[in-house]
Amino acid sequence: MTSSRVRPGPAGPARFKAYRFSQASRLELLAKLPAELRFEMEVVSHILPFRINDFVLNELIDWADPSADPLFRLLFPHRDMLSPEHYDAMSGLVRLGAPPAEIQALARKIRDDLNPHPAGQQTLNVPSLDGDALPGMQHKYADTVLFFPSAGQTCHSYCAFCFRWPQFVGAEDRFSASDSTALRAYLRAHPEVSDVLVTGGDPMVMRTHRLAGYLDPLLSDPGLEHVRTIRIGTKALTFWPHRFVLDDDADELLALFRRIVDGGRHLAVMAHLDHWREMENPLFTEAVRRIRETGAVIRSQAPVLAHVNDDPRVWSRMWKRQVALGIVPYYMFVERDTGARNHFEVPLVRTWRIYADAVSAVSGLARTARGPSMSCGPGKVEIQGVAEAHGERVFVLRFIQARNPRWTQQPFFAAYDPDATWFDALRPAFGEREFFFSREYAAMTKTGG
Ligand SMILES: *Cc1c(COP(=O)(O)O)cnc(C)c1O
Ligand code: SF4
């Protein structure tokens, strides 16, 4: 565990200047957990990353009953995140007091079993310019380039479901770029790109001057006029709202946001929000207010996770609160097929019911969230529903985004499977041998294109 960076500064509205979170001692809080649970946490954290900052620890987690608390369950290691075999192997070593090298060797082996590279991220989506692969970028869908600044590849706290987990344990080379020269060259050569999505990790762990070093040139360089939207993916609104209110460079950050908006670009803050409980802190509300004041639009996204938010009432309440604050619900995701998936995954049919029930309980303004969506190799596949056709029960699916833009929006059908939790478990309906895109996708993966 690392401690949070508390950077109280002169920035921030007066009424928040005095605001400091109640800082109980970490050890005191952790000592409230039963010894057995602490041992299990230790075993799991040898394999999966664990990090939590003092704000989340003190302000977001309900220590009256941590095991029932969605944020505790989102963040803290749990023995069921590993298969019984993996857990027994590691706990055996820990109990014996095995040397660190032995523990690390086993950890590496187990991590390799946890599908650390889902959806062909490292092979299929890395763009190139003049024959050279460009690290720190991904380009999968025509409109949008993902940019991974090297200083933004950690997070304020680590969500235990996160598909970026291998980079947090150093098990994979981070895709990351130390400056934006290659990004700009690539964008100049790709006039079809309208959106740049700055992501991580959490780019909001970066100091403002760093972020500005990446973003300001996108606004001023000739030949980049086609880049209309800058998106920033972040969890900082709830994990470190100080970033927008109290940090000593918070005002500078908001000035950067204003420069982007005043430069005629759309700035979209893509906020990762899993539960309404994380949206109750007054610093969160203030962060939202200050970001919106710059002209940026906050959009929200999160996956459906067992033990955290697999209940339509959680989503409808969260979406209503978001709309009240001026946040636009954007995506509901399906938990991805990597890392601690066994612990967090929910059958697709239930995830879809959660979406349908949540959407039915909110006004049209909160029905802007699309999903539930699976980010898999061929694209973002949305579960539109369950239907009966030709006497067969089927999942109705469509691509929200596709590796080939022509696949987008085309409805297609998979045989109903009550246990399926991910796209790779689905088979074409009506006895067909393959989906309409299967051949073309297979050809793409063969050529690495
Ligand atoms: C989701 C995603 C995007 C953005 O898609 P939108 O539908 O425009 O939000 C871009 N690139 C990748 C790899 C994605 O997974
Ligand atoms: S904040 Fe986002 S990138 Fe960071 S651990 Fe959570 S899900 Fe992963």
Side-chain angles (χ1 to χ4, degrees):
M1 283 193 293
T2 57
S3 62
S4 68
R5 312 158 308 153
V6 183
R7 289 195 258 110
R15 79 198 150 94
F16 279 97
K17 271 192 191 158
Y19 183 91
R20 293 286 177 271
F21 49 83
S22 55
Q23 203 162 8
S25 139
R26 279 172 169 260
L27 292 176
E28 249 168 64
L29 288 176
L30 296 177
K32 294 184 185 202
L33 302 172
E36 197 182 317
L37 193 64
R38 274 181 284 148
F39 175 77
E40 293 170 2
M41 282 167 46
E42 186 198 337
V43 171
V44 176
S45 66
H46 281 300
I47 296 152
L48 296 168
F50 175 47
R51 177 188 216 182
I52 189 160
N53 69 12
D54 282 340
F55 176 76
V56 175
L57 204 63
N58 286 283
E59 296 280 316
L60 298 191
I61 287 175
D62 177 3
W63 288 95
D65 187 5
S67 292
D69 180 64
L71 289 149
F72 183 88
R73 300 304 298 267
L74 176 69
L75 290 149
F76 276 74
H78 190 288
R79 68 173 290 164
D80 295 347
M81 289 175 184
L82 300 176
S83 69
E85 300 74 44
H86 287 157
Y87 182 84
D88 290 345
M90 184 55 89
S91 64
L93 283 192
V94 173
R95 259 199 201 95
L96 285 172
E102 212 174 306
I103 289 185
Q104 277 160 27
L106 179 63
R108 271 196 298 276
K109 217 166 124 262
I110 294 176
R111 285 175 194 145
D112 282 344
D113 285 348
L114 302 177
N115 189 24
H117 308 301
Q121 286 176 76
Q122 284 200 315
T123 46
L124 285 178
N125 305 335
V126 178
S128 58
L129 191 63
D130 303 327
D132 294 326
L134 301 173
M137 277 189 244
Q138 283 184 31
H139 192 189
K140 180 170 178 179
Y141 308 128
D143 300 319
T144 304
V145 165
L146 271 47
F147 181 60
F148 299 78
S150 54
Q153 298 310 305
T154 58
C155 298
H156 294 99
S157 299
Y158 292 151
C159 313
F161 75 86
C162 180
F163 78 106
R164 303 261 187 235
W165 66 272
Q167 79 175 29
F168 302 143
V169 291
E172 112 182 343
D173 292 338
R174 295 174 174 179
F175 328 95
S176 69
S178 51
D179 70 52
S180 64
T181 312
L183 172 68
R184 282 176 280 146
Y186 185 78
L187 291 172
R188 271 192 293 276
H190 288 269
E192 78 277 16
V193 175
S194 59
D195 292 31
V196 171
L197 168 52
V198 185
T199 183
D202 188 339
M204 284 302 156
V205 300
M206 280 190 279
R207 303 282 306 202
T208 300
H209 69 90
R210 277 237 146 121
L211 188 62
Y214 292 117
L215 295 185
D216 276 325
L218 297 183
L219 307 177
S220 53
D221 272 22
L224 298 184
E225 295 77 10
H226 56 287
V227 177
R228 302 314 310 166
T229 298
I230 293 175
R231 308 193 207 181
I232 302 176
T234 184
K235 182 85 186 154
L237 269 76
T238 62
F239 278 7
W240 193 248
H242 307 60
R243 187 68 197 89
F244 310 96
V245 183
L246 289 167
D247 276 1
D248 58 11
D249 59 351
D251 285 350
E252 243 179 276
L253 177 67
L254 298 171
L256 168 63
F257 285 8
R258 255 184 218 105
R259 280 203 296 288
I260 295 170
V261 174
D262 293 346
R265 265 44 176 231
H266 177 56
L267 175 62
V269 174
M270 308 302 292
H272 169 198
L273 299 171
D274 299 282
H275 200 286
W276 52 263
R277 276 252 355 265
E278 44 178 342
M279 300 167 55
E280 295 196 309
N281 193 282
L283 263 185
F284 165 78
T285 324
E286 180 63 8
V288 168
R289 194 190 66 75
R290 300 191 93 211
I291 293 168
R292 294 190 64 232
E293 215 171 47
T294 68
V297 174
I298 306 171
R299 292 185 171 78
S300 73
Q301 51 192 26
V304 175
L305 301 165
H307 316 292
V308 177
N309 61 13
D310 56 338
D311 177 344
R313 288 167 304 180
V314 170
W315 286 84
S316 55
R317 182 164 174 182
M318 174 163 76
W319 284 338
K320 283 181 195 167
R321 173 104 180 105
Q322 289 174 5
V323 169
L325 294 171
I327 300 173
V328 184
Y330 188 62
Y331 269 136
M332 174 194 270
F333 290 120
V334 176
E335 148 69 354
R336 295 176 75 143
D337 56 337
T338 179
R341 72 173 292 188
N342 292 331
H343 185 61
F344 288 113
E345 69 189 359
V346 176
L348 296 177
V349 63
R350 246 194 86 217
T351 302
W352 169 68
R353 265 311 342 151
I354 290 168
Y355 176 83
D357 290 347
V359 147
S360 313
V362 296
S363 96
L365 291 186
R367 294 186 187 188
T368 48
R370 288 175 300 163
S373 165
M374 294 176 271
S375 296
C376 43
K380 278 189 170 67
V381 175
E382 183 184 63
I383 303 153
Q384 294 211 279
V386 175
E388 299 273 339
H390 306 299
E392 185 180 338
R393 187 177 249 200
V394 297
F395 280 118
V396 182
L397 309 168
R398 69 163 177 174
F399 283 108
I400 297 177
Q401 282 287 3
R403 204 173 273 284
N404 178 344
R406 285 196 307 276
W407 303 344
T408 312
Q409 298 291 330
Q410 172 70 47
F412 62 106
F413 306 93
Y416 178 74
D417 175 347
D419 303 319
T421 57
W422 191 250
F423 184 69
D424 60 7
L426 297 181
R427 296 289 161 258
F430 313 127
E432 284 176 17
R433 295 191 30 215
E434 53 188 24
F435 294 117
F436 77 91
F437 55 87
S438 297
R439 249 167 234 219
E440 206 181 329
Y441 178 59
M444 288 171 168
T445 53
K446 217 176 284 158
T447 59

